[in-house]
Amino acid sequence: MDIMPGGVTSPKGFRASGAHIGIKAVKAEGVAPPKDLAVLVSDAPAVVAAAFTTNRVKAAPVLWSQRVVARQAPVRAVVVNSGNANACTGDRGLEDAIRMGEATAEALGVEAEEVLVASTGVIGVPLPMDVVLRGIPQVCSALAATPEAGEACAEAIRTTDTFTKQAAVRMEIGGQVVTIGGMAKGSGMIHPNMATMLAFLTTDAAISREMLNRALKASVIDSYNMISVDGDTSTNDTVAVLANGLAGNPVIAEDGPDFAAFCAALHALNTHLAKLIVRDGEGATKLMEVVVRGAADVDAARRLARSVTTSNLVKAALFGADANWGRVLAAMGYSGAPFDPAGVHIRFTSPGGSVTLMEDGEPLPFDEDQALQVLRESEVRVEIDLADGDAQAIAWGCDLTYDYVRINGEYRT
Amino acid sequence: MDIMPGGVTSPKGFRASGAHIGIKAVKAEGVAPPKDLAVLVSDAPAVVAAAFTTNRVKAAPVLWSQRVVARQAPVRAVVVNSGNANACTGDRGLEDAIRMGEATAEALGVEAEEVLVASTGVIGVPLPMDVVLRGIPQVCSALAATPEAGEACAEAIRTTDTFTKQAAVRMEIGGQVVTIGGMAKGSGMIHPNMATMLAFLTTDAAISREMLNRALKASVIDSYNMISVDGDTSTNDTVAVLANGLAGNPVIAEDGPDFAAFCAALHALNTHLAKLIVRDGEGATKLMEVVVRGAADVDAARRLARSVTTSNLVKAALFGADANWGRVLAAMGYSGAPFDPAGVHIRFTSPGGSVTLMEDGEPLPFDEDQALQVLRESEVRVEIDLADGDAQAIAWGCDLTYDYVRINGEYRT
């Protein structure tokens, strides 16, 4: 499945907009003010599927959006602000999230219950509602179906992200071209369990709510849930996909080749966006891909792969290009997943070459210079084989750097 | 219970020794070579209780020492090397650990099955056995019951520790003075679940194996298991207490005031050593004490407190003296422990003052300058009240700093 340039406005019938309304501070004169409000609209009622943070402390907009999705009715729009998470803001926070939805609905001429709301940024500070309510109609008035509008929308959901994350995929279903577009943001508090970031996907596919839901749930497990930046699971994170049916394909309402094609495309896009989030992890200089093969079952494979990507010691060693593979095995050991240490194979590969460190549980002598060549690259793959079955999983993480500490030591100030 | 200066040689009938034998590199001419082999001997057969790492990947010396403890028979000695963990070293590693025990037994005229073995340092590199076997008799020949010998022993188990960790406590039982001494080392791969470090305790108390075991297990839960430096659970970690009975007190063989007094003293010492480990966490500049009160049960209180001390985001904010309390609530939220966010109170206190951030789940406005005064101190307490019951727990952690990244990016090289 080929990933194409594009974003949330790539499918038919979606308009988007993003602008600076004043939630984020303007950094300096002459510098473009940072966008902080995004609106996304479907021209036709869209079925929606979504997954939300597993954190027990859920931000106010998550509570609202969960209600919207629980209605099992079509939705029309998404409004997102960045710069303030509206999390841990008490009763007032929930009222503010509802008012964001209402104000957006009013500007668009739809119902508040048809508007998903999301927020991202600092926790524990009330939203500046005068700014938000003044900004929403302004941003809605600039809605457009152009690539530029999609880009502005994707830009407006960023926090510490250093680049905008969007892409699209295209397939043919029942003789019709179907497109899925998406945008996402990271880049701290990123950790498995769908508690990790914001991602919004749009598609003009005609698909039932039930099948859309199944497609999203299946994909999230092996995409967003397999990335980790810092092991912290956020209060706000949301993945939602809106399908408005305007592609005119026969409605996907059951298993079969059409559903399989849609699932494959959706998963390719989700995996692409998830990897972009990790690549842009706070302070990250390297992407780590951990492949666990030969596991007894896929759950064990996932837990092992995720434990390695989450280990501070592995991440710091990656930053230092130190082939300290023992930390990989130690992280597997405390993952809670069963495996036999005596069967483990470990290999590091990258565009710089490859180096095998352990075979059948025995450490191998290796060339330090060769290992350095491998680990110096900006993408490093850790290949683990357990020789214990056929299951496999892949997780993505990044290195732990001085900049991660700097960014998170001074985030609020 | 007053903690006194002292160490493993404080109780009657224990001799210790520590020296540089050549496992660690000599740093520079004129600098004292780093000690890397420690031996501890009880003059009388000692009952032993121990707890070992929960990591599925256990270092070879852990496998050996587990066998020694499983014999349920008295032990005589402990041998520890630093600079090499003898972990992930395959079959050869286990042979090497056994040979360490045998060589020590031979030098001391005891049985190999009476010798606990521990190692700490880099993972995945075979022990230099010629160096180890040459060094053991040399270190054994210097055994002494003096404070200086205890200090040398504690020094020889250090890796990245910046200071030596030892202390003692004293109590009266049945008219006899009973002493417990201990030494410990950190300072990376430190995380709850008794998988955290090395600690060896000695006592001249007369106590049954069963009661010693109960005392240690109860204490470990709320001391070593409540500290975290980096969330990584090591392959090697071991806490062992040896009791040789030379104080001459009536044997503690059942519940009662004598056992209670012994437990209180042991726990005071363990808590003291555990906090020293965190204070000396790799790169740490600050000690964080997280107190969770008003929990429905103690397990929930422990999980919540540990989740806060383990959060990279909380740790980085502490480093930056940033009162980003929302990260505290977020870390509680993903701990897996049940609680009602609407009932939460959060307060930061330190010698610099105190600042209340949340009451009954509602954020409070606070003075940033005042918060900075509180968070600038080298010891900060996070007080959390759930208003949901009577259970409480305390966990200890440290900040995440540039130096943590530096130390762990270049550890092996």
Side-chain angles (χ1 to χ4, degrees):
Chain A
M1 188 65 53
D2 287 339
I3 299 293
M4 325 184 305
V8 290
T9 55
S10 296
K12 288 181 195 158
F14 287 96
R15 288 172 297 142
S17 175
H20 172 78
I21 65 166
I23 300 172
K24 291 178 183 168
V26 176
K27 287 191 182 163
E29 261 186 85
V31 177
K35 293 189 174 61
D36 49 19
L37 193 87
V39 175
L40 172 62
V41 180
S42 175
D43 292 337
V47 293
V48 62
F52 298 98
T53 182
T54 56
N55 196 308
R56 186 170 290 263
V57 179
K58 293 184 196 337
V62 168
L63 298 175
W64 170 255
S65 294
Q66 285 183 322
R67 287 189 208 171
V68 170
V69 173
R71 289 174 66 240
Q72 308 197 351
V75 303
R76 291 298 295 273
V78 182
V79 59
V80 187
N81 76 275
S82 58
N84 183 316
N86 191 12
C88 310
T89 42
D91 294 337
R92 172 177 167 182
L94 187 56
E95 285 162 28
D96 289 348
I98 295 172
R99 283 163 74 203
M100 269 180 77
E102 287 171 348
T104 307
E106 191 178 333
L108 299 173
V110 302
E111 299 299 317
E113 290 70 24
E114 297 175 310
V115 181
L116 294 169
V117 178
S119 299
T120 175
V122 67
I123 301 180
V125 178
L127 273 175
M129 283 309 291
D130 51 336
V131 171
V132 171
L133 295 178
R134 205 166 48 231
I136 285 173
Q138 169 203 332
V139 173
C140 287
S141 70
L143 284 163
T146 60
E148 293 73 22
E151 167 93 25
C153 188
E155 215 181 301
I157 66 172
R158 286 166 54 174
T159 51
T160 48
D161 302 69
T162 66
F163 59 85
T164 299
K165 296 160 188 72
Q166 51 173 354
V169 286
R170 195 156 279 170
M171 78 223 84
E172 201 169 296
I173 293 182
Q176 302 296 326
V177 173
V178 170
T179 306
I180 313 177
M183 63 180 184
K185 60 84 53 182
S187 59
M189 270 209 187
I190 303 294
H191 187 62
N193 281 323
M194 239 328 290
T196 57
M197 77 288 122
L198 301 180
F200 297 99
L201 300 122
T202 54
T203 179
D204 45 23
I207 182 167
S208 70
R209 197 181 49 74
E210 187 199 336
M211 298 311 277
L212 186 65
N213 208 31
R214 272 180 52 190
L216 182 67
K217 293 284 188 290
S219 174
V220 160
I221 291 172
D222 284 316
S223 57
Y224 304 110
N225 279 3
M226 292 303 283
I227 62 173
S228 178
V229 167
D230 54 15
D232 273 67
T233 297
S234 150
T235 50
N236 284 57
D237 301 323
T238 301
V239 171
V241 52
L242 277 61
N244 67 11
L246 295 181
N249 61 293
V251 178
I252 303 169
E254 59 189 24
D255 274 319
D258 289 355
F259 182 61
F262 181 81
C263 285
L266 181 69
H267 191 57
L269 183 56
N270 279 334
T271 303
H272 179 77
L273 292 172
K275 285 171 75 171
L276 287 183
I277 289 171
V278 172
R279 185 183 301 276
D280 195 22
E282 284 177 341
T285 68
K286 296 181 184 183
L287 177 73
M288 157 169 53
E289 178 167 281
V290 177
V291 183
V292 173
R293 293 198 190 87
D297 63 81
V298 69
D299 181 59
R302 288 187 187 120
R303 285 167 77 177
L304 289 164
R306 284 158 50 145
S307 190
V308 174
T309 59
T310 309
S311 159
N312 275 352
L313 288 171
V314 170
K315 288 152 60 82
L318 181 64
F319 173 58
D322 178 3
N324 203 326
W325 59 272
R327 294 177 179 174
V328 172
L329 196 60
M332 294 165 62
Y334 64 72
S335 68
F339 72 98
D340 178 7
V344 174
H345 300 240
I346 299 177
R347 198 161 71 115
F348 293 164
T349 70
S350 82
S354 104
V355 56
T356 301
L357 303 140
M358 171 164 267
E359 274 187 355
D360 295 320
E362 296 284 338
L364 297 187
F366 64 94
D367 185 272
E368 291 278 357
D369 285 340
Q370 193 189 339
L372 188 63
Q373 294 304 319
V374 173
L375 293 174
R376 261 190 192 144
E377 299 287 329
S378 65
E379 284 198 25
V380 174
R381 177 183 291 193
V382 178
E383 296 183 356
I384 297 163
D385 197 320
L386 303 176
D388 191 32
D390 293 326
Q392 76 159 50
I394 307 178
W396 298 274
C398 59
D399 53 348
L400 175 64
T401 69
Y402 297 125
D403 270 357
Y404 177 85
V405 177
R406 185 185 54 72
I407 291 166
N408 287 297
E410 59 186 34
Y411 182 61
R412 261 178 3 113
T413 47
Chain B
M1 188 66 53
D2 288 339
I3 300 292
M4 323 183 304
V8 290
T9 55
S10 297
K12 288 180 195 161
F14 287 96
R15 287 172 299 143
S17 174
H20 173 78
I21 65 166
I23 301 171
K24 291 178 183 167
V26 175
K27 287 189 182 163
E29 260 186 87
V31 178
K35 293 189 175 59
D36 49 19
L37 194 86
V39 175
L40 171 62
V41 181
S42 174
D43 291 337
V47 292
V48 62
F52 297 98
T53 183
T54 56
N55 197 308
R56 186 170 290 264
V57 179
K58 294 185 196 336
V62 168
L63 298 175
W64 170 254
S65 294
Q66 285 182 322
R67 288 190 207 171
V68 170
V69 173
R71 290 174 66 239
Q72 309 197 352
V75 303
R76 291 298 296 271
V78 182
V79 59
V80 188
N81 76 275
S82 57
N84 184 315
N86 191 13
C88 309
T89 41
D91 293 338
R92 171 177 166 182
L94 187 54
E95 286 163 28
D96 289 347
I98 295 171
R99 283 164 72 204
M100 268 180 78
E102 287 170 347
T104 306
E106 192 178 332
L108 300 173
V110 302
E111 299 299 316
E113 290 72 23
E114 296 174 311
V115 180
L116 295 169
V117 178
S119 298
T120 175
V122 67
I123 301 180
V125 178
L127 272 175
M129 284 309 290
D130 51 338
V131 171
V132 171
L133 295 178
R134 206 165 47 229
I136 285 173
Q138 168 203 333
V139 173
C140 288
S141 71
L143 283 163
T146 60
E148 293 72 23
E151 166 93 27
C153 188
E155 215 182 301
I157 66 172
R158 286 166 52 175
T159 50
T160 50
D161 304 69
T162 66
F163 58 86
T164 300
K165 296 160 189 71
Q166 52 173 353
V169 286
R170 193 156 280 169
M171 79 223 82
E172 200 168 299
I173 293 182
Q176 301 297 325
V177 173
V178 170
T179 306
I180 313 177
M183 62 180 185
K185 59 84 51 183
S187 60
M189 273 209 185
I190 301 295
H191 187 61
N193 281 325
M194 239 328 292
T196 56
M197 77 287 122
L198 302 181
F200 296 99
L201 300 120
T202 54
T203 179
D204 45 24
I207 182 168
S208 70
R209 196 181 50 74
E210 187 200 335
M211 298 310 277
L212 185 66
N213 209 32
R214 273 180 53 190
L216 182 67
K217 292 284 188 292
S219 174
V220 159
I221 292 173
D222 284 314
S223 57
Y224 304 110
N225 279 3
M226 292 303 283
I227 61 174
S228 178
V229 167
D230 54 16
D232 274 68
T233 296
S234 150
T235 50
N236 284 58
D237 300 323
T238 301
V239 172
V241 51
L242 278 63
N244 67 11
L246 295 182
N249 60 293
V251 178
I252 303 169
E254 58 189 25
D255 275 321
D258 289 357
F259 182 60
F262 181 81
C263 285
L266 182 69
H267 190 57
L269 183 57
N270 280 333
T271 304
H272 179 78
L273 292 172
K275 285 171 73 173
L276 287 183
I277 289 170
V278 172
R279 185 184 302 275
D280 195 23
E282 284 177 342
T285 67
K286 294 180 186 184
L287 177 72
M288 159 169 50
E289 176 167 282
V290 178
V291 182
V292 173
R293 293 197 189 89
D297 63 81
V298 68
D299 182 59
R302 287 187 187 120
R303 286 166 78 176
L304 290 164
R306 284 156 51 145
S307 190
V308 174
T309 58
T310 309
S311 159
N312 275 351
L313 288 172
V314 170
K315 288 151 60 80
L318 182 65
F319 174 58
D322 178 2
N324 204 325
W325 59 272
R327 294 177 178 174
V328 172
L329 196 60
M332 292 165 62
Y334 63 72
S335 68
F339 70 99
D340 178 9
V344 174
H345 300 242
I346 299 177
R347 198 160 71 114
F348 293 164
T349 69
S350 81
S354 104
V355 56
T356 302
L357 303 140
M358 172 163 268
E359 274 187 355
D360 294 321
E362 296 285 339
L364 297 187
F366 64 92
D367 185 87
E368 291 279 357
D369 285 339
Q370 192 190 340
L372 188 63
Q373 294 305 319
V374 173
L375 293 174
R376 260 189 192 146
E377 299 286 330
S378 65
E379 284 198 24
V380 174
R381 176 184 292 192
V382 179
E383 296 183 355
I384 297 163
D385 196 320
L386 303 176
D388 191 32
D390 292 327
Q392 78 158 48
I394 307 178
W396 297 274
C398 58
D399 52 348
L400 175 63
T401 69
Y402 298 125
D403 270 358
Y404 178 86
V405 176
R406 184 185 54 72
I407 291 166
N408 287 298
E410 59 186 32
Y411 181 62
R412 259 177 6 112
T413 47

